[in-house]
Amino acid sequence: MFIVKYRKFFYALSVLLIAGSVAALWLWGLKPGIDFKGGSIIEVEYASSTRPVISAVQPSLDKLDLGEYSIRETGAEGFIIRTKELAPEAHDAVIGVLKVNGANLTEKRFDSVGPILGEEALQKSWMSIALVLLAIVLFITFAFRGVSRPVKSWKYGVIAIIALAHDIIIPAGVFALLGHIAGIEVDTLFVTALLVVLGFSIHDTIVVFDRVRENLKHNHEGKQKKSFDVIVGESINQTFVRSVNTSLTTLIAIFVLYLAGAEATRHFSLALLVGIAAGTYSSIFLGSPLLVTVYAWQEGKKA
């Protein structure tokens, strides 16, 4: 009952986080990677202690026809260079410049995407997210079709969508901030992370909703007279430890991947960390309490 009783505090915290995220998105927006705007990315790693300083290679890179490009250090011995889409000759020229003074390097990654493919990837990413949200609403409406009182089944779906919007706006806002501060870009892996977050979060939310449905049934069959907010509060309490433990074990595994994984998956791991943490919070402290608020509104009570 603690969570239901103090739900306005948790609503306020969510509103604060969403407002900050929306402000970051409005001010800076997401910084698209080459997957969405087209271009090339080269990641190289030097043999031990042979990596030159950036100022030693930058003048030679400036002489190439790379357009607007960026070069930054990665790990202890590597560089990541982002440029416009490179032809094979231009790619070879960049590698040649990086081998300054005969430095021994290994090319770990070279990806190149044209602008048309990038635009197509962006459109399909938005379409994927929209279709997932629509499928979730339809599924919840169908799964909870037997629950018509005191809150109709489609309202469970709408509340789930509100919670899911919370779960993807927050990591998007974090990445907008990181894009402004550290130049971190979003790519198709970021979209994949959001889709994973949607799946993980709705799973947690449905667990609590399903417990509410079971407790409503027991309350009716046992001719008990528990109020709706008491039933929701008990349902949250019954699933709280399970939800937290499941999320913690998942977050620990992703945190290890973030620390020890490849550079290419680091931002993917970070998006999962932020999104799953937000999803766990919303499934416990936002979704189910909103059922109580919606019920209060339809009964004309003070929410």
Side-chain angles (χ1 to χ4, degrees), residues 33-55:
I34 66 168
D35 291 2
F36 296 139
K37 67 180 181 183
S40 297
I41 181 169
I42 302 172
E43 181 178 358
V44 297
E45 185 175 87
Y46 289 83
S48 180
S49 303
T50 61
R51 183 177 69 186
V53 294
I54 290 179
S55 58

Side-chain angles (χ1 to χ4, degrees), residues 247-258:
S247 299
L248 273 181
T249 51
T250 305
L251 288 172
I252 289 171
I254 297 172
F255 186 63
V256 172
L257 177 65
Y258 174 76

Side-chain angles (χ1 to χ4, degrees), residues 122-136:
L122 180 62
Q123 292 173 353
K124 288 187 175 180
S125 297
W126 284 117
M127 187 180 299
S128 300
I129 292 175
L131 288 176
V132 167
L133 292 175
L134 177 62
I136 287 172

Side-chain angles (χ1 to χ4, degrees), residues 42-227:
I42 302 172
E43 181 178 358
V44 297
E45 185 175 87
Y46 289 83
S48 180
S49 303
T50 61
R51 183 177 69 186
V53 294
I54 290 179
S55 58
V57 297
Q58 204 157 24
S60 298
L61 289 174
D62 290 342
K63 295 177 183 176
L64 303 176
D65 182 23
L66 301 180
E68 184 181 351
Y69 74 94
S70 68
I71 177 170
R72 68 178 177 86
E73 297 175 347
T74 176
E77 303 295 343
F79 280 139
I80 288 182
I81 300 98
R82 290 180 169 83
T83 70
K84 65 179 184 180
E85 185 182 9
L86 293 180
E89 298 78 12
H91 164 253
D92 294 341
V94 171
I95 295 297
V97 167
L98 295 175
K99 291 180 178 177
V100 60
N101 298 326
N104 185 20
L105 64 82
T106 302
E107 186 177 16
K108 298 179 65 178
R109 179 166 50 133
F110 173 59
D111 295 324
S112 189
V113 179
I116 295 177
L117 286 177
E119 187 176 344
E120 183 181 352
L122 180 62
Q123 292 173 353
K124 288 187 175 180
S125 297
W126 284 117
M127 187 180 299
S128 300
I129 292 175
L131 288 176
V132 167
L133 292 175
L134 177 62
I136 287 172
V137 171
L138 294 175
F139 171 76
I140 291 182
T141 302
F142 174 77
F144 288 80
R145 63 191 183 283
V147 184
S148 59
R149 289 186 299 176
V151 176
K152 293 187 179 301
S153 60
W154 65 268
K155 293 181 181 177
Y156 284 76
V158 172
I159 289 171
I161 291 300
I162 293 172
L164 291 177
H166 167 278
D167 302 341
I168 60 174
I169 287 174
I170 289 176
V174 169
F175 270 73
L177 177 63
L178 291 175
H180 176 69
I181 295 174
I184 291 179
E185 299 177 339
V186 297
D187 53 17
T188 49
L189 276 180
F190 176 76
V191 177
T192 304
L194 293 185
L195 294 175
V196 172
V197 167
L198 289 175
F200 190 93
S201 179
I202 194 61
H203 174 265
D204 254 5
T205 302
I206 286 178
V207 166
V208 185
F209 283 0
D210 192 54
R211 186 56 60 92
V212 172
R213 176 174 61 177
E214 288 181 8
N215 288 338
L216 282 171
K217 183 180 177 183
H218 294 156
N219 187 58
H220 176 70
E221 292 176 349
K223 297 183 179 178
Q224 302 173 25
K225 295 184 178 179
K226 292 180 181 178
S227 62

